[in-house]
Amino acid sequence: MVLQTRRGSLVQDRFPDLVAAAERQLPGGLVLDGELLVWDAEAGRLSFEGLQRRAAARGRSAPGLAARWPAYIVAFDVLQLDGVDLLVRPYQERRTLLEDLFTGHGLTAPPWTLCPMTTDPATAREWLESWTDVSRVEGVVAKG
């Protein structure tokens, strides 16, 4: 498994829990687009501090931090499946493949979360407003 930040840094050594889950559950030749989040169970919310600490962890400290702050991948797109580039396909088709991947492989949290999707602007606005208050979600993803 390769876990890459949006700036291209490789961070899989800092998230051994995600690597282990991917090796057990995900097929080869898969590329997901998503967001890496860390949950603070004690506070009952997302933890940017926990994410920063996990992203900076190296070596022996990574497993201990994984136990304290579990990581989640919130997937919102599948870019490659079985080694086949899917970017030429419309998003709705890729979304169906992503949903099928979650169903077919029994992907559940932790660590896998399927990002909800809507085409209704009012629903998206409601999600953004309510989730910002509860979980400190910072935005929405819009795909053409």
Side-chain angles (χ1 to χ4, degrees):
M1 175 189 174
V2 174
L3 187 60
Q4 183 176 330
T5 69
R6 66 183 70 167
R7 292 194 175 117
S9 299
L10 299 179
V11 295
Q12 61 270 10
D13 61 324
R14 297 153 198 184
F15 295 90
D17 48 336
L18 293 178
V19 171
E23 289 173 351
R24 280 191 318 271
Q25 296 179 285
L26 298 180
L30 175 69
V31 177
L32 295 175
D33 187 7
E35 191 74 19
L36 176 62
L37 305 172
V38 168
W39 186 258
D40 184 337
E42 291 176 18
R45 62 176 174 79
L46 296 174
S47 174
F48 187 67
E49 174 197 355
L51 178 61
Q52 287 180 311
R53 292 198 51 196
R54 292 217 43 202
R58 296 199 188 267
R60 291 184 289 168
S61 65
L65 291 173
R68 180 172 179 197
W69 288 305
Y72 295 78
I73 297 285
V74 180
F76 42 78
D77 203 351
V78 58
L79 308 180
Q80 184 175 312
L81 185 61
D82 295 325
V84 176
D85 181 7
L86 301 176
L87 289 175
V88 296
R89 297 188 185 178
Y91 175 71
Q92 189 57 49
E93 185 179 332
R94 296 192 318 266
R95 177 64 188 206
T96 299
L97 291 170
L98 181 63
E99 291 170 358
D100 291 347
L101 176 77
F102 266 73
T103 302
H105 288 271
L107 302 180
T108 59
W112 316 111
T113 303
L114 180 62
C115 185
M117 194 272 298
T118 184
T119 57
D120 177 48
T123 300
R125 188 175 305 108
E126 178 200 333
W127 287 348
L128 181 60
E129 290 170 359
S130 64
W131 293 347
T132 300
D133 292 341
V134 174
S135 301
R136 298 185 181 178
V137 171
E138 297 176 351
V140 296
V141 175
K143 295 251 180 181

PDB file of all heavy atoms in Angstrom, residues 55-70:
ATOM      1  N   ALA A  55       0.910  11.974  11.561  1.00  0.00           N
ATOM      2  CA  ALA A  55       1.649  12.247  10.331  1.00  0.00           C
ATOM      3  C   ALA A  55       3.129  12.488  10.605  1.00  0.00           C
ATOM      4  O   ALA A  55       3.963  12.255   9.730  1.00  0.00           O
ATOM      5  CB  ALA A  55       1.045  13.438   9.603  1.00  0.00           C
ATOM      6  N   ALA A  56       3.462  12.926  11.808  1.00  0.00           N
ATOM      7  CA  ALA A  56       4.860  13.179  12.169  1.00  0.00           C
ATOM      8  C   ALA A  56       5.528  11.961  12.801  1.00  0.00           C
ATOM      9  O   ALA A  56       6.746  11.946  12.968  1.00  0.00           O
ATOM     10  CB  ALA A  56       4.932  14.370  13.132  1.00  0.00           C
ATOM     11  N   ALA A  57       4.749  10.953  13.155  1.00  0.00           N
ATOM     12  CA  ALA A  57       5.283   9.771  13.855  1.00  0.00           C
ATOM     13  C   ALA A  57       6.201   8.971  12.956  1.00  0.00           C
ATOM     14  O   ALA A  57       5.977   8.858  11.757  1.00  0.00           O
ATOM     15  CB  ALA A  57       4.137   8.886  14.329  1.00  0.00           C
ATOM     16  N   ARG A  58       7.202   8.398  13.571  1.00  0.00           N
ATOM     17  CA  ARG A  58       8.118   7.531  12.831  1.00  0.00           C
ATOM     18  C   ARG A  58       8.468   6.336  13.715  1.00  0.00           C
ATOM     19  O   ARG A  58       8.499   6.433  14.924  1.00  0.00           O
ATOM     20  CB  ARG A  58       9.380   8.284  12.459  1.00  0.00           C
ATOM     21  CG  ARG A  58       9.102   9.427  11.512  1.00  0.00           C
ATOM     22  CD  ARG A  58      10.370   9.843  10.804  1.00  0.00           C
ATOM     23  NE  ARG A  58      10.147  11.055  10.052  1.00  0.00           N
ATOM     24  CZ  ARG A  58       9.799  11.085   8.783  1.00  0.00           C
ATOM     25  NH1 ARG A  58       9.620   9.973   8.129  1.00  0.00           N
ATOM     26  NH2 ARG A  58       9.615  12.223   8.160  1.00  0.00           N
ATOM     27  N   GLY A  59       8.725   5.235  13.064  1.00  0.00           N
ATOM     28  CA  GLY A  59       9.223   4.065  13.771  1.00  0.00           C
ATOM     29  C   GLY A  59       8.295   3.518  14.830  1.00  0.00           C
ATOM     30  O   GLY A  59       7.117   3.296  14.590  1.00  0.00           O
ATOM     31  N   ARG A  60       8.846   3.343  16.019  1.00  0.00           N
ATOM     32  CA  ARG A  60       8.119   2.656  17.095  1.00  0.00           C
ATOM     33  C   ARG A  60       6.951   3.440  17.666  1.00  0.00           C
ATOM     34  O   ARG A  60       6.069   2.867  18.296  1.00  0.00           O
ATOM     35  CB  ARG A  60       9.092   2.292  18.207  1.00  0.00           C
ATOM     36  CG  ARG A  60      10.066   1.207  17.777  1.00  0.00           C
ATOM     37  CD  ARG A  60      10.955   0.795  18.897  1.00  0.00           C
ATOM     38  NE  ARG A  60      11.896   1.892  19.168  1.00  0.00           N
ATOM     39  CZ  ARG A  60      12.670   1.967  20.217  1.00  0.00           C
ATOM     40  NH1 ARG A  60      12.639   1.035  21.127  1.00  0.00           N
ATOM     41  NH2 ARG A  60      13.500   2.975  20.362  1.00  0.00           N
ATOM     42  N   SER A  61       6.898   4.758  17.485  1.00  0.00           N
ATOM     43  CA  SER A  61       5.788   5.524  18.059  1.00  0.00           C
ATOM     44  C   SER A  61       4.506   5.401  17.240  1.00  0.00           C
ATOM     45  O   SER A  61       3.414   5.637  17.754  1.00  0.00           O
ATOM     46  CB  SER A  61       6.170   6.994  18.211  1.00  0.00           C
ATOM     47  OG  SER A  61       6.382   7.596  16.950  1.00  0.00           O
ATOM     48  N   ALA A  62       4.596   5.022  15.965  1.00  0.00           N
ATOM     49  CA  ALA A  62       3.415   4.961  15.096  1.00  0.00           C
ATOM     50  C   ALA A  62       2.335   4.000  15.601  1.00  0.00           C
ATOM     51  O   ALA A  62       1.158   4.370  15.638  1.00  0.00           O
ATOM     52  CB  ALA A  62       3.826   4.637  13.666  1.00  0.00           C
ATOM     53  N   PRO A  63       2.658   2.769  16.023  1.00  0.00           N
ATOM     54  CA  PRO A  63       1.590   1.876  16.499  1.00  0.00           C
ATOM     55  C   PRO A  63       0.879   2.389  17.754  1.00  0.00           C
ATOM     56  O   PRO A  63      -0.339   2.242  17.887  1.00  0.00           O
ATOM     57  CB  PRO A  63       2.331   0.562  16.784  1.00  0.00           C
ATOM     58  CG  PRO A  63       3.529   0.605  15.905  1.00  0.00           C
ATOM     59  CD  PRO A  63       3.936   2.059  15.874  1.00  0.00           C
ATOM     60  N   GLY A  64       1.608   2.984  18.675  1.00  0.00           N
ATOM     61  CA  GLY A  64       0.980   3.528  19.874  1.00  0.00           C
ATOM     62  C   GLY A  64       0.026   4.667  19.557  1.00  0.00           C
ATOM     63  O   GLY A  64      -1.073   4.753  20.124  1.00  0.00           O
ATOM     64  N   LEU A  65       0.430   5.523  18.651  1.00  0.00           N
ATOM     65  CA  LEU A  65      -0.451   6.619  18.245  1.00  0.00           C
ATOM     66  C   LEU A  65      -1.659   6.091  17.485  1.00  0.00           C
ATOM     67  O   LEU A  65      -2.756   6.638  17.599  1.00  0.00           O
ATOM     68  CB  LEU A  65       0.322   7.632  17.406  1.00  0.00           C
ATOM     69  CG  LEU A  65       1.374   8.438  18.157  1.00  0.00           C
ATOM     70  CD1 LEU A  65       2.189   9.286  17.193  1.00  0.00           C
ATOM     71  CD2 LEU A  65       0.753   9.307  19.240  1.00  0.00           C
ATOM     72  N   ALA A  66      -1.475   5.020  16.724  1.00  0.00           N
ATOM     73  CA  ALA A  66      -2.597   4.418  16.006  1.00  0.00           C
ATOM     74  C   ALA A  66      -3.654   3.896  16.975  1.00  0.00           C
ATOM     75  O   ALA A  66      -4.849   3.993  16.712  1.00  0.00           O
ATOM     76  CB  ALA A  66      -2.099   3.290  15.101  1.00  0.00           C
ATOM     77  N   ALA A  67      -3.205   3.344  18.107  1.00  0.00           N
ATOM     78  CA  ALA A  67      -4.150   2.851  19.106  1.00  0.00           C
ATOM     79  C   ALA A  67      -4.907   4.002  19.762  1.00  0.00           C
ATOM     80  O   ALA A  67      -6.092   3.875  20.062  1.00  0.00           O
ATOM     81  CB  ALA A  67      -3.405   2.036  20.160  1.00  0.00           C
ATOM     82  N   ARG A  68      -4.229   5.111  19.972  1.00  0.00           N
ATOM     83  CA  ARG A  68      -4.863   6.258  20.635  1.00  0.00           C
ATOM     84  C   ARG A  68      -5.772   7.036  19.695  1.00  0.00           C
ATOM     85  O   ARG A  68      -6.844   7.485  20.088  1.00  0.00           O
ATOM     86  CB  ARG A  68      -3.794   7.189  21.190  1.00  0.00           C
ATOM     87  CG  ARG A  68      -4.384   8.384  21.893  1.00  0.00           C
ATOM     88  CD  ARG A  68      -3.365   9.209  22.595  1.00  0.00           C
ATOM     89  NE  ARG A  68      -4.017  10.352  23.222  1.00  0.00           N
ATOM     90  CZ  ARG A  68      -3.373  11.402  23.633  1.00  0.00           C
ATOM     91  NH1 ARG A  68      -2.070  11.476  23.538  1.00  0.00           N
ATOM     92  NH2 ARG A  68      -4.040  12.403  24.177  1.00  0.00           N
ATOM     93  N   TRP A  69      -5.304   7.242  18.470  1.00  0.00           N
ATOM     94  CA  TRP A  69      -6.053   8.025  17.478  1.00  0.00           C
ATOM     95  C   TRP A  69      -6.219   7.203  16.211  1.00  0.00           C
ATOM     96  O   TRP A  69      -5.391   7.272  15.300  1.00  0.00           O
ATOM     97  CB  TRP A  69      -5.314   9.320  17.138  1.00  0.00           C
ATOM     98  CG  TRP A  69      -5.328  10.360  18.199  1.00  0.00           C
ATOM     99  CD1 TRP A  69      -6.421  10.898  18.810  1.00  0.00           C
ATOM    100  CD2 TRP A  69      -4.196  11.017  18.767  1.00  0.00           C
ATOM    101  NE1 TRP A  69      -6.030  11.838  19.720  1.00  0.00           N
ATOM    102  CE2 TRP A  69      -4.673  11.941  19.716  1.00  0.00           C
ATOM    103  CE3 TRP A  69      -2.822  10.913  18.567  1.00  0.00           C
ATOM    104  CZ2 TRP A  69      -3.836  12.748  20.453  1.00  0.00           C
ATOM    105  CZ3 TRP A  69      -1.979  11.719  19.305  1.00  0.00           C
ATOM    106  CH2 TRP A  69      -2.487  12.627  20.235  1.00  0.00           C
ATOM    107  N   PRO A  70      -7.281   6.415  16.106  1.00  0.00           N
ATOM    108  CA  PRO A  70      -7.489   5.604  14.902  1.00  0.00           C
ATOM    109  C   PRO A  70      -7.659   6.486  13.660  1.00  0.00           C
ATOM    110  O   PRO A  70      -8.292   7.547  13.721  1.00  0.00           O
ATOM    111  CB  PRO A  70      -8.774   4.833  15.183  1.00  0.00           C
ATOM    112  CG  PRO A  70      -9.166   5.138  16.570  1.00  0.00           C
ATOM    113  CD  PRO A  70      -8.330   6.256  17.080  1.00  0.00           C
TER     114      PRO A  70
END
